[in-house]
Amino acid sequence: MVRWFLISLGVAGLTFASVRESSAQIVPGWNTKQFSLERIDADRVRLQREVEIEGEQGSPNAGQKFFADDLQLNIKTGELIAEGNVVFQTPTAQISADSVVFNTKTKMGTFSSAFGIASLGERGNENRSMFGTLEPDVYFYGMSIEKVGVDKYRISKGGFTTCVQPTPRWEIVSGNATVNLDDYVVLRNAVIHVKDVPVFYLPLLYYPIQEDERATGFLMPQWGASQAMGGSSIGNAFFWAINRSQDATFFHDYMFSRGNGVGTEYRYIFGPQAQGNVRYYWLDEKEAIINGTLRTPRRSNTVQGGLSQNLPFGLSARARVDYFSNVTVQQTHNHDFINASQSNRTVDAGVSGSWRNLSMNGSYRRNEVFFNEDDSTLSGASPGFTASLSGVKLGRLPIFATVNAEAARVLYVENFGEESFDSGLGKADFFPSIRVPLSTLPYLQVNATAAYRTTYYSESLAEDLKTQIEVPITRTYGDMRVEVVGPVFSRVFNPQNAIADRMKHVIEPNISMERRTTIENEQFIPTRAGAYDRIVGGTTQMNYGLTNRLLVRKDAPGEPQSGAPREFMSVSVRQSYYTNEKASSADNSYGYGYSYRSPNAFSPISLTARATPTDPLVVDYRVEYDPVPANDTSPRLLGMSLNGTLRAERADVTGGWTRQAYASVDRTIPPNNYVHGGATLRFAGNKYGGNVTYNYDIARSTLLNHRYVAFYNAQCCGISVEYQAFNYPPDLNRFYLPKDRRFNMSFTLAGVGSFSNFFGAFGGGT
């Protein structure tokens, strides 16, 4: 915003340079009004008595005006002196001063006791909400504003603000400032005032004013405090604007009790599908005593980033990395709920393409989940390849063919301290199928599918059915399925009430029958590296269910047939039957503990419901109930979840409850029982409001997380206050920061931006 009013000064230089000696026209291209002309000598003229000069229409000076009580011009040297109510106006700015000394030939000069106002234009309109009902303008002043170069100015004892009110709520003042138009502003002894109270001081402030708002330079330092780091820390960063499409940032953090951290981040955007970023951080912690405990020195690094890139021949590439060398560092140095609980590191990359019915994907995946500092499980594929040919019609027959193929080196490594168990293997899968639609009636759909699948494994199980050995094995089986949806019954009602003018009730039964052939060597197929691919052969499986839908339509008053149909409620119930009860333990379509449940000829009964009583309110409910548990005489509730969302003009409210019970023949796992909620409130057109969130573990009687935010936005500035705390149950030893509390404060200045965490985070991990 400083750039805008200084551009006006540059135009002022052109204004004065237009003055030439002429008896008929004092200033060519300008209309001169209300003055008396006096020739002081052969080289100097004087204009007096409410001098007004206005640019002629059609000239480069159109829309500009200059006012003064007294103006003297030396035609030979080009020196101009104006005094008394000096005002210069352009379509976007106005500058007032007690006096001005300017040279129309060198275009150098000084405004004394100057102040003015300038419009921020499109730059201010980009975030108009920051200005409330005010126009997006900037107010500036200085004891003197001196033009010392073509695009260079010096302001002494001045300041600026975008809070254009009789009493500005904030302003930045400085002893002196040097300004290069479209480049930078350097302020010395800069002080930020809020309500005339100085709140922040910088001996030197570099402020970029490039047209693209990107400038190379040092960023504002950050200060913080944490018990996990043993005290205070200060962070510095240097930003390098390489060009319009690339930039890099270099970081340095100094922890007074713990050591140093350095890092860098590189970002680029070459197009909508050609962008990426990568961030690297290296931490060197020295030996220190923190909370009475001796912490040994350690070094660690973190790499994070991702990219997406279009390639020739219809291909596209993607990659993502979230890697850390030390899980303890990852969880103690990130003082927020998500990062502090992060315990897995991931590398994921791939190239994919699609051509009509054919799609292909090559990938590399590596995901390691830590259970504590020493124990982890590594899974993924290095590399993997999949191809799919789908929906191919065979001649004129109503038969559609699909072929899926996959090949991968499957990763699966279990680490227990110094011990490591590698169950990885090579795998190749070929899965062709044909589908025949036997009925496509609107009220009755019948599809028959026949498939053959063969899978090669580079390793198999030994005779003890536990040890994995390097002996290849191939699994083959056939799969036949018939799916029937319908007959569908529906009925339309006309309640003409506050909820609906028309209502439609739909009853949709469904049933499917599937037969998998016997797998001769099924007991020798390894499953640790691919439990998701466990198949129980020689099984006939029947799935049956019923769905009820209630659709409503409410027309606008006086406008019949104007409303769109809306699903008011949907309720579905389903269950499966298996001729081989072992198949129930491998059916992952039932999510609540299917792998822990004892084998059973019947699956749990699953019920899902979704209700939308009004457009802003959505409620989801899911429950799985085991009516006939194996080895147990009493029915069991395996799990349920209830979630709701309400979105209104002044409030967004979410809440939910999840409960899951685990039970098996050989072990009992404590149940999970969580409740969570959150609300965001907005008042007076988002002028003030707040947010609250929480997560509570009912089973362990622990409030995992609670967070409170309050904000107030005035017409040209705002303030936000946040308090957050989280706890983890003591029996979950995977978390190394069991408790954390923090307090943050930030404020926003209209047209300037937000400065967060000036005072750091009060408190820390305990």
Side-chain angles (χ1 to χ4, degrees):
M1 65 292 297
V2 178
R3 179 177 65 86
W4 291 91
F5 72 83
L6 292 173
I7 286 177
S8 301
L9 298 184
V11 179
L14 297 177
T15 300
F16 301 134
S18 300
V19 179
R20 296 290 186 270
E21 182 180 14
S22 173
S23 58
Q25 190 175 24
I26 304 300
V27 185
W30 294 79
N31 297 320
T32 310
K33 305 176 183 179
Q34 299 181 11
F35 71 97
S36 63
L37 174 62
E38 176 187 352
R39 182 170 290 277
I40 301 175
D41 52 36
D43 296 330
R44 294 185 297 165
V45 295
R46 185 175 187 177
L47 305 178
Q48 290 181 303
R49 296 204 320 247
E50 298 181 353
V51 179
E52 178 182 348
I53 303 176
E54 181 177 3
E56 291 184 338
Q57 295 296 325
S59 72
N61 307 313
Q64 302 177 19
K65 293 182 179 182
F66 181 78
F67 304 87
D69 292 337
D70 189 302
L71 185 150
Q72 296 183 35
L73 173 64
N74 189 314
I75 300 173
K76 184 176 181 179
T77 63
E79 183 180 83
L80 181 149
I81 301 175
E83 296 179 340
N85 298 315
V86 177
V87 177
F88 176 72
Q89 292 181 347
T90 72
T92 59
Q94 174 177 303
I95 303 174
S96 302
D98 289 347
S99 63
V100 60
V101 177
F102 206 87
N103 191 296
T104 60
K105 293 185 177 181
T106 63
K107 298 182 180 179
M108 307 295 176
T110 303
F111 283 79
S112 299
S113 299
F115 62 91
I117 188 170
S119 172
L120 294 178
E122 293 185 3
R123 187 174 184 182
N125 288 321
E126 289 177 359
N127 193 355
R128 186 61 184 271
S129 62
M130 296 172 64
F131 296 87
T133 59
L134 300 178
E135 292 297 320
D137 296 330
V138 57
Y139 172 80
F140 56 93
Y141 63 91
M143 289 296 294
S144 67
I145 301 177
E146 182 181 2
K147 191 172 189 293
V148 296
V150 177
D151 290 317
K152 191 172 184 178
Y153 298 84
R154 182 177 295 120
I155 302 175
S156 300
K157 297 181 180 180
F160 72 93
T161 179
T162 57
C163 192
V164 186
Q165 300 189 62
T167 304
R169 289 187 171 90
W170 72 268
E171 64 178 351
I172 298 178
V173 301
S174 66
N176 59 77
T178 302
V179 182
N180 274 337
L181 289 182
D182 291 327
D183 196 354
Y184 64 86
V185 177
V186 176
L187 298 101
R188 294 172 177 83
N189 297 319
V191 181
I192 299 177
H193 285 234
V194 177
K195 285 286 190 178
D196 293 329
V197 178
V199 297
F200 195 73
Y201 166 78
L202 281 174
L204 184 67
L205 174 63
Y206 178 95
Y207 190 85
I209 56 173
Q210 281 94 337
E211 188 70 34
D212 59 3
E213 304 182 18
R214 289 162 54 85
T216 297
F218 287 95
L219 303 180
M220 186 167 292
Q222 297 287 327
W223 178 86
S226 169
Q227 290 186 2
M229 293 185 294
S232 301
S233 65
I234 186 169
N236 301 278
F238 181 82
F239 179 77
W240 178 23
I242 302 173
N243 54 39
R244 285 285 299 165
S245 303
Q246 304 176 77
D247 60 52
T249 308
F250 303 91
F251 306 94
H252 173 254
D253 297 323
Y254 176 72
M255 294 167 286
F256 292 88
S257 300
R258 221 32 189 137
N260 292 272
V262 294
T264 183
E265 180 179 15
Y266 170 74
R267 304 183 303 173
Y268 72 90
I269 299 179
F270 297 142
Q273 295 297 325
Q275 54 186 308
N277 69 87
V278 61
R279 179 186 177 104
Y280 174 79
Y281 192 79
W282 182 76
L283 185 63
D284 183 13
E285 297 177 283
K286 63 184 180 181
E287 183 178 279
I289 297 178
I290 299 177
N291 295 332
T293 303
L294 178 64
R295 303 292 179 91
T296 58
R298 60 184 178 184
R299 294 180 177 179
S300 61
N301 55 75
T302 302
V303 181
Q304 296 175 321
L307 66 84
S308 62
Q309 178 68 52
N310 280 340
L311 301 174
F313 309 110
L315 296 171
S316 62
R318 50 151 184 88
R320 182 176 65 89
V321 58
D322 192 348
Y323 177 86
F324 50 82
S325 62
N326 190 304
V327 66
T328 306
V329 173
Q330 170 70 12
Q331 295 186 346
T332 55
H333 285 269
N334 286 288
H335 288 182
D336 62 82
F337 186 78
I338 296 177
N339 289 333
S341 62
Q342 186 74 11
S343 62
N344 64 295
R345 54 189 185 189
T346 304
V347 178
D348 189 354
V351 177
S352 60
S354 179
W355 308 269
R356 299 184 65 179
N357 300 90
L358 177 64
S359 61
M360 304 177 69
N361 179 53
S363 63
Y364 174 89
R365 300 188 307 276
R366 182 185 177 93
N367 181 54
E368 186 171 9
V369 180
F370 286 85
F371 303 100
N372 51 52
E373 188 173 4
D374 301 317
D375 302 339
S376 66
T377 298
L378 172 66
S379 61
S382 63
F385 175 81
T386 60
S388 177
L389 182 66
S390 61
V392 179
K393 189 175 182 180
L394 302 181
R396 297 184 178 181
L397 298 175
I399 301 176
F400 300 87
T402 297
V403 179
N404 294 312
E406 177 185 358
R409 173 62 189 177
V410 180
L411 298 176
Y412 194 82
V413 181
E414 297 171 290
N415 299 305
F416 301 97
E418 299 296 328
E419 295 184 293
S420 181
F421 301 92
D422 189 350
S423 301
L425 47 80
K427 176 184 174 183
D429 190 56
F430 183 67
F431 193 8
S433 65
I434 57 173
R435 178 178 63 86
V436 181
L438 302 179
S439 173
T440 57
L441 297 173
Y443 57 87
L444 181 64
Q445 298 182 33
V446 182
N447 289 280
T449 305
Y452 173 81
R453 187 176 185 184
T454 178
T455 308
Y456 167 83
Y457 300 89
S458 63
E459 298 185 8
S460 60
L461 296 181
E463 293 295 333
D464 60 3
L465 304 182
K466 295 181 180 179
T467 307
Q468 191 166 306
I469 58 177
E470 296 183 1
V471 176
I473 190 172
T474 300
R475 179 189 65 187
T476 60
Y477 66 92
D479 190 302
M480 293 155 285
R481 178 193 297 256
V482 176
E483 298 175 310
V484 180
V485 178
V488 179
F489 304 95
S490 64
R491 184 176 178 181
V492 177
F493 303 89
N494 295 284
Q496 299 293 325
N497 55 29
I499 297 177
D501 294 326
R502 293 178 57 121
M503 182 179 295
K504 184 178 182 179
H505 180 210
V506 180
I507 301 176
E508 184 181 277
N510 62 85
I511 187 171
S512 67
M513 185 79 71
E514 180 181 8
R515 173 63 186 180
R516 289 187 294 270
T517 60
T518 302
I519 303 174
E520 298 296 338
N521 53 2
E522 178 180 334
Q523 67 271 30
F524 300 109
I525 303 298
T527 58
R528 294 191 66 80
Y532 61 90
D533 190 32
R534 184 185 173 196
I535 302 296
V536 178
T539 302
T540 299
Q541 179 175 336
M542 179 184 295
N543 307 308
Y544 42 89
L546 182 69
T547 300
N548 279 264
R549 291 188 177 91
L550 198 61
L551 307 176
V552 299
R553 187 172 72 185
K554 183 67 176 177
D555 300 329
E559 298 181 20
Q561 307 297 320
S562 62
R566 174 172 56 88
E567 188 175 77
F568 181 82
M569 180 175 290
S570 174
V571 180
S572 299
V573 61
R574 66 185 180 94
Q575 190 183 30
S576 299
Y577 168 77
Y578 318 90
T579 57
N580 186 339
E581 61 182 19
K582 293 181 180 179
S584 65
S585 301
D587 190 352
N588 56 16
S589 63
Y590 296 88
Y592 286 115
Y594 72 94
S595 59
Y596 303 108
R597 183 171 175 259
S598 301
N600 198 311
F602 291 90
S603 73
I605 296 176
S606 174
L607 184 144
T608 59
R610 179 182 178 87
T612 312
T614 61
D615 285 332
L617 178 62
V618 179
V619 180
D620 291 286
Y621 177 72
R622 179 184 177 188
V623 61
E624 288 186 8
Y625 179 77
D626 195 352
V628 188
N631 304 319
D632 197 337
T633 57
S634 60
R636 181 183 297 272
L637 181 67
L638 297 181
M640 68 167 60
S641 64
L642 175 65
N643 296 279
T645 302
L646 173 64
R647 300 189 182 280
E649 180 181 357
R650 295 185 177 181
D652 292 339
V653 181
T654 61
W657 172 42
T658 301
R659 185 182 188 279
Q660 180 173 4
Y662 301 97
S664 65
V665 175
D666 56 349
R667 61 174 171 171
T668 299
I669 304 175
N672 287 334
N673 201 352
Y674 298 101
V675 61
H676 65 89
T680 300
L681 306 177
R682 301 174 294 271
F683 303 100
N686 208 33
K687 185 177 181 180
Y688 59 91
N691 173 271
V692 57
T693 58
Y694 69 90
N695 293 272
Y696 186 78
D697 187 343
I698 299 176
R700 299 178 178 85
S701 300
T702 303
L703 183 61
L704 299 178
N705 167 262
H706 54 111
R707 177 175 180 261
Y708 310 91
V709 178
F711 65 87
Y712 172 77
N713 294 322
Q715 289 180 322
C716 55
C717 59
I719 186 171
S720 177
V721 179
E722 173 192 10
Y723 173 77
Q724 176 176 327
F726 65 81
N727 303 275
Y728 286 112
D731 58 325
L732 298 182
N733 59 359
R734 60 184 291 186
F735 301 107
Y736 298 96
L737 191 66
K739 296 182 180 180
D740 181 53
R741 296 185 304 272
R742 63 178 184 172
F743 175 82
N744 291 326
M745 178 183 294
S746 67
F747 62 91
T748 301
L749 306 181
V752 177
S754 298
F755 297 89
S756 300
N757 296 335
F758 271 165
F759 311 105
F762 299 158
T766 59

